[in-house]
Amino acid sequence: MAQHAAGLNGRRMMSLPSLMLLAAAGALFVAALAHFACIAVGPRAYRLMGAGDSAARAAERGERGPHVAAFVVGSALLVVASYALSGAGWLPGLPLLRWVLGGVSLVLLARAFLFPLLRSHFPGNTDRFWWVSSTICLVLGGLLLFGAMPLWRVG
């Protein structure tokens, strides 16, 4: 999993792919916290995150939909963060590690590049939401993809 090289003074240094997976795990954790914050703070947080007035108004009316969506996305982000930590060698090996990291990276990259086609299906989301979230998906997808590449090497 994690690859280390000897550094200055004999200390171990992590490889670039492991550092990429650690950076992805940290960013995924922060993104999960942002989704959970929407649940705790309520409509104001949904608006701040750019989820749109429809989600914020639904939360104001006491509907569960926005909270359920935020919880599911936040939980999924924590799971992927755990897989990134596993790939970096900070957690024990998780099942289907390279498949999960590879699959999630492709989904994130697809989400980043296909957002112009997705926008019409989610008309309540703001332009800021689409640009910021697509940029985050691009960065996270790239970090996971390049960080997980050594896991696919055979022999």
Side-chain angles (χ1 to χ4, degrees), residues 49-52 111 115 119 122-135:
M49 300 294 178
R111 163 58 177 79
F115 89 88
R119 286 178 75 159
F122 303 92
N125 292 344
T126 64
D127 285 343
R128 180 183 70 207
F129 169 84
W130 284 109
W131 284 104
V132 170
S133 64
S134 295
T135 302

Side-chain angles (χ1 to χ4, degrees), residues 15-150:
S15 68
L16 181 59
S18 292
L19 290 172
M20 294 174 101
L21 289 173
L22 283 177
L28 288 160
F29 181 75
V30 169
L33 288 180
H35 283 80
F36 295 139
C38 286
I39 298 167
V41 174
R44 191 177 72 218
Y46 286 103
R47 284 189 180 93
L48 177 68
M49 300 294 178
D53 275 341
S54 60
R57 283 194 307 266
E60 285 172 340
R61 290 190 301 268
E63 294 178 21
R64 294 182 189 167
H67 297 322
V68 170
F71 180 79
V72 169
V73 172
S75 298
L77 292 168
L78 287 179
V79 169
V80 177
S82 298
Y83 270 84
L85 289 173
S86 178
W90 284 50
L91 290 178
L94 293 174
L96 303 171
L97 178 62
R98 63 184 181 174
W99 290 99
V100 170
L101 291 176
V104 170
S105 68
L106 293 179
V107 167
L108 288 169
L109 292 171
R111 163 58 177 79
F113 289 114
L114 297 176
F115 89 88
L117 301 174
L118 296 171
R119 286 178 75 159
S120 63
H121 298 287
F122 303 92
N125 292 344
T126 64
D127 285 343
R128 180 183 70 207
F129 169 84
W130 284 109
W131 284 104
V132 170
S133 64
S134 295
T135 302
I136 291 169
C137 287
L138 178 64
V139 171
L140 286 174
L143 287 171
L144 290 173
L145 179 67
F146 291 111
M149 281 181 150

